[in-house]
Each structure stands twice: as structure tokens, then as C-alpha cells.
């Protein structure tokens, strides 16, 4: 199997695609972009070559980004905020049978580790906002809005064990921050309070200490095996495909 162009992997092998950003968060305005994110499953046969398939692809459309399934799952197991939120977008544009299996695993990725990763990311963003304020007299208000949203999401995840990314009735207060209508001191106080509430929630969270790595790994192995078996059917005359699949995969059935 010859390696396809990365955009072809997204076009032909996407298992899950959604809209993220302000539109998924309930914070869209007339000038908001449409950020598309997705997961593609690179055919197993591509991994038998020296040149491996990409772990992520930008495009082919504007504001579009996709991850190969294994990379996506690894990041989700580390409680990467962007990845976890992608799995919980209310705006799903495409999902096939494998994608539905991935969505059914959403709970397996969630754990109290989310507090550390969300908080670490939030701290980095807070430092950037503080630098902007010291340098320019004002932060980047849009980034301040999204940091508040992230802190709310983290707190509520730790409190409830469920990740909801739509801001609901907090839309108007958050958009006021984006417009620069809320004094920076008040925004700072809000951020500090949310971080403290997340810290308190982490101590009594219903989430497990660790994600269910074994369950996720089983899913990845099964999808790789199914893809390899499809390679046999698609390339019955390819001796390399037949030898590798029959020697390493079919005996595992």
C-alpha cells in the first residue's frame, strides 16, 4: 500500500468529526470562525512501512485539524483539555461505527488527572495574560474569556464527573469579558475563585484516580486488527500484505 497524501487520510478515513471553539462552547458571535476537529484511522498496512502515517494533519479545509486515532487516544488518556473537549462537542458533523465506539469510551478517558492538566494549562495561559497586562495595559480579552470558560469546565467536571462544554447561562458574563467590559481586577478575582473551587472539587471528585487505559488500548488494538483484515480483502495478490497479516494478526483471533 502506497502512502496516501495526508489530506486523503482525513478525507477517506475520518471516523469522527465535530465543530469546536466558540460555536461548540455556546459563545459564538457573528464573526466567529468555524473550527473543525476530527479523528482519522490510518490503515494498519501503512504502519508496516518505514515512513509511518502522520499523527496529525492540518486541513484540508480552513480551520480544520485532525489526529490519528492512536495519537488522539494517548492525548485523551493524559487528560489533554482540547482532546477531551473534542470528544464532548455537541456539534458532531460525522461519525461512523468506529467513531461511535470511540464516543462510547468517553468515560474511560476521564479521571482526577484532569485537574492537574487543566490547571497546568490554565496557569500557562494566566501567565501570558498577566504579561500582556503588564506590557500593554490590558490582556487579550478573548483569551481571558476562554480561560474563564476552561476553569468553569474543569471545576464542573471534577464536581459532577461529567464534562459539559456549553457555557449555558454564563454566555453573557463571558462575552462581556471578551468585549473588555469587565475590569481586569475583577476578571483576575473570578479566575482565582474558579481555580480554588476546582481545587476543592478535586479532593472529593467522583472521578476515578486514573483513566481506564486497558479499555482504551483494547479498542485501539481491535480497530488496528480490523483494518489489517480489510487489507487482506483489498489486496489479495499482495504477498507482503498477506504474509504480514496472516502471520501476525489473524493468528491472534
Amino acid at each position: 500500500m502506497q502512502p496516501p497524501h495526508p489530506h486523503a487520510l482525513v478525507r477517506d478515513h475520518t471516523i469522527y468529526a465535530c465543530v469546536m471553539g466558540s460555536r461548540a462552547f455556546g459563545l459564538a458571535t457573528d464573526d466567529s470562525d468555524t473550527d473543525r476537529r476530527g479523528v482519522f484511522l490510518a490503515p494498519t498496512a501503512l504502519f508496516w512501512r518505514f515512513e509511518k502515517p502522520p499523527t496529525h494533519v492540518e486541513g484540508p479545509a480552513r480551520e480544520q485539524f485532525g489526529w490519528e486515532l492512536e495519537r488522539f487516544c494517548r492525548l485523551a488518556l493524559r487528560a489533554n483539555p482540547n482532546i477531551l473537549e473534542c470528544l464532548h462537542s455537541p456539534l458532531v458533523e460525522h461519525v461512523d461505527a468506529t467513531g461511535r465506539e470511540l464516543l462510547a469510551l468517553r468515560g474511560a478517558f476521564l479521571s482526577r488527572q484532569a485537574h492537574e492538566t487543566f490547571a497546568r494549562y490554565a496557569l500557562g495561559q494566566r501567565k501570558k495574560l498577566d504579561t500582556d497586562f503588564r506590557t500593554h495595559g490590558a490582556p487579550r480579552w478573548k483569551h481571558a474569556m476562554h480561560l474563564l470558560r476552561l476553569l468553569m469546565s474543569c471545576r464542573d467536571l471534577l464536581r459532577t464527573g461529567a464534562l459539559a462544554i456549553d457555557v449555558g447561562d454564563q454566555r453573557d458574563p463571558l462575552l462581556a469579558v471578551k468585549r473588555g467590559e469587565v475590569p481586569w481586577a475583577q476578571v483576575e478575582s473570578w479566575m482565582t475563585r474558579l481555580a480554588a473551587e476546582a481545587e476543592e472539587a478535586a479532593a472529593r471528585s467522583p472521578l476515578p484516580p486514573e483513566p481506564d487505559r486497558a479499555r482504551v488500548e483494547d479498542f485501539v488494538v481491535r480497530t488496528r486488527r480490523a483494518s489489517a483484515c480489510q487489507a487482506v480483502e483489498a489486496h489479495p495478490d499482495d504477498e507482503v500484505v498477506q504474509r504480514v497479516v496472516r502471520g501476525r494478526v489473524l493468528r491472534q483471533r
Side-chain angles (χ1 to χ4, degrees), residues 17-189:
C18 66
V19 172
M20 283 301 297
S22 294
R23 298 192 182 281
F25 301 144
L27 291 168
T29 55
D30 291 340
D31 60 348
S32 293
D33 292 329
T34 300
D35 300 320
R36 289 184 164 86
R37 301 292 180 264
V39 183
F40 62 90
L41 175 62
T44 300
L46 292 179
F47 291 91
W48 302 334
R49 298 182 174 276
F50 289 135
E51 183 180 350
K52 307 302 181 186
T55 58
H56 58 272
V57 175
E58 289 192 48
R62 182 173 175 270
E63 305 296 340
Q64 183 178 6
F65 191 94
W67 295 268
E68 206 282 324
L69 175 65
E70 184 175 341
R71 175 62 173 167
F72 185 88
C73 288
R74 285 181 181 275
L75 291 171
L77 285 169
R78 297 174 192 165
N80 179 290
N82 293 323
I83 299 294
L84 291 182
E85 290 180 339
C86 182
L87 276 174
H88 292 78
S89 172
L91 304 177
V92 176
E93 293 193 319
H94 169 78
V95 62
D96 66 7
T98 305
R100 285 190 287 273
E101 281 196 73
L102 175 64
L103 291 181
L105 283 172
R106 284 183 291 196
F109 294 108
L110 298 178
S111 73
R112 290 200 289 272
Q113 288 183 358
H115 179 236
E116 179 184 352
T117 54
F118 277 57
R120 185 168 60 244
Y121 180 82
L123 179 61
Q125 295 301 305
R126 176 70 179 272
K127 288 180 178 178
K128 292 179 181 178
L129 291 170
D130 288 338
T131 299
D132 287 341
F133 185 79
R134 289 194 303 269
T135 305
H136 306 292
R140 290 170 290 179
W141 292 110
K142 179 179 178 180
H143 290 204
M145 175 192 72
H146 282 297
L147 178 51
L148 287 166
R149 182 206 61 77
L150 180 74
L151 290 167
M152 290 177 187
S153 180
C154 177
R155 177 201 60 190
D156 295 343
L157 168 61
L158 293 165
R159 281 178 173 176
T160 67
L163 182 59
I165 67 173
D166 190 293
V167 299
D169 61 6
Q170 293 300 304
R171 171 183 165 86
D172 289 341
L174 287 170
L175 288 178
V177 172
K178 180 183 178 182
R179 293 190 297 265
E181 297 172 358
V182 183
W184 175 236
Q186 186 174 332
V187 173
E188 283 188 304
S189 177

